[in-house]
Amino acid sequence: MSNFTHIVNNKVLSALKCYSMLEDTNKIIVGFSGGADSVCLLYVLNSMKNVLGVKVEAVHINHGIRGDEAKRDEDFSVSFCKKYNIPVTTKNVECISEAEKNKESLEECGRRLRYSVFESLCDGFTKIATAHNANDNAETVFFNLARGSSIKGVRGIPPVRDAVIRPLIYCTREEIEGFCQENGLKYVTDSTNLQDEYTRNKIRHNVIPALIEINPSAISNI
């Protein structure tokens, strides 16, 4: 077994155990965008499903924002799940009109609509797994600090919130991308993640690399 594969598998198992993520659970639905993080998460959980004693499914949400690119992501997600024999549900939401109606940012609205879909698919024995990782957590800490958050906000992303679990919360983005490469897993890239238009992207592209340059262990330390 290769290095990144070993690291990610162990960190996922550690997170599942440490936070009792699968207590009273017989099915996991993975929020699947088709990006590297969600590809890694879905592949890992599907490969472990027999050991964990759960069924694994995926849900892909098209937010109606990125046109042809969003359709590409949806097609990729369906194709990936078909390749690995994973049941998948696709949902379309109207993020732009919803955001305008509720005077929300697209980012805020997209998150609200995603979790609304997730909750609609849950029952008492189902968990929703999202692919938030250690880098996302660090970015959230600095995002909340910059906004003047309370101590509660500075805690970052909770590993478990109601039926939502985050099995990749110990894994860095470097480890996740290394895992995908080692296992020959293709993924798509959301072009909006490459722009500095959003505050989180400014933190991702500028603050986090500076911290890692100061200390390579910065992400895990945070």
Side-chain angles (χ1 to χ4, degrees):
M1 185 177 290
S2 302
N3 190 41
F4 284 119
T5 302
H6 180 72
I7 290 170
V8 169
N9 282 338
N10 281 351
K11 285 189 173 184
V12 167
L13 287 171
S14 293
L16 292 173
K17 181 178 179 180
C18 181
Y19 296 102
S20 303
M21 291 183 179
L22 300 184
E23 187 175 354
D24 299 323
T25 302
N26 60 21
K27 183 168 74 173
I28 304 173
I29 298 176
V30 177
F32 189 57
S33 68
D37 299 341
S38 65
V39 162
C40 174
L41 178 61
L42 183 59
Y43 185 87
V44 168
L45 291 178
N46 189 59
S47 68
M48 293 181 176
K49 64 183 179 182
N50 293 332
V51 174
L52 299 175
V54 294
K55 297 177 182 177
V56 173
E57 299 182 6
V59 58
H60 176 85
I61 300 171
N62 185 331
H63 295 83
I65 297 175
R66 293 177 293 117
D68 290 343
E69 186 178 280
K71 184 63 170 65
R72 175 208 66 180
D73 294 354
E74 181 178 338
D75 291 343
F76 170 85
S77 297
V78 171
S79 177
F80 183 94
C81 291
K82 183 177 180 180
K83 178 178 179 179
Y84 293 100
N85 197 29
I86 301 169
V88 60
T89 299
T90 59
K91 296 282 187 179
N92 294 315
V93 296
E94 295 299 329
C95 198
I96 295 175
S97 59
E98 271 289 311
E100 291 175 352
K101 183 175 73 175
N102 292 286
K103 295 181 171 57
E104 298 172 286
S105 70
L106 284 176
E107 199 172 12
E108 291 170 335
C109 183
R111 183 184 185 283
R112 178 174 61 80
L113 292 176
R114 275 197 305 279
Y115 281 94
S116 177
V117 171
F118 293 160
E119 289 167 7
S120 73
L121 297 172
C122 274
D123 57 35
F125 302 99
T126 301
K127 295 292 175 71
I128 294 289
T130 65
H132 293 96
N133 57 54
N135 287 62
D136 295 322
N137 199 32
E139 292 161 12
T140 298
V141 167
F142 281 96
F143 183 83
N144 289 341
L145 278 171
R147 294 194 304 176
S149 173
S150 66
I151 293 297
K152 181 180 179 181
V154 176
R155 292 186 307 181
I157 300 171
V160 176
R161 181 179 60 80
D162 299 325
V164 177
I165 60 174
R166 280 124 183 175
L168 292 182
I169 201 66
Y170 291 155
C171 301
T172 67
R173 188 159 288 123
E174 178 187 10
E175 291 165 347
I176 289 166
E177 291 178 358
F179 179 97
C180 290
Q181 184 175 3
E182 285 181 358
N183 290 278
L185 301 174
K186 295 181 179 179
Y187 53 85
V188 292
T189 300
D190 181 341
S191 62
T192 61
N193 289 334
L194 305 176
Q195 305 164 6
D196 276 354
E197 180 180 344
Y198 300 104
T199 301
R200 182 175 290 275
N201 286 357
K202 291 179 182 177
I203 295 171
R204 177 175 298 172
H205 298 152
N206 300 290
V207 177
I208 298 299
L211 291 170
I212 293 174
E213 186 177 340
I214 293 168
N215 181 357
S217 300
I219 299 300
S220 58
N221 289 342
I222 293 168

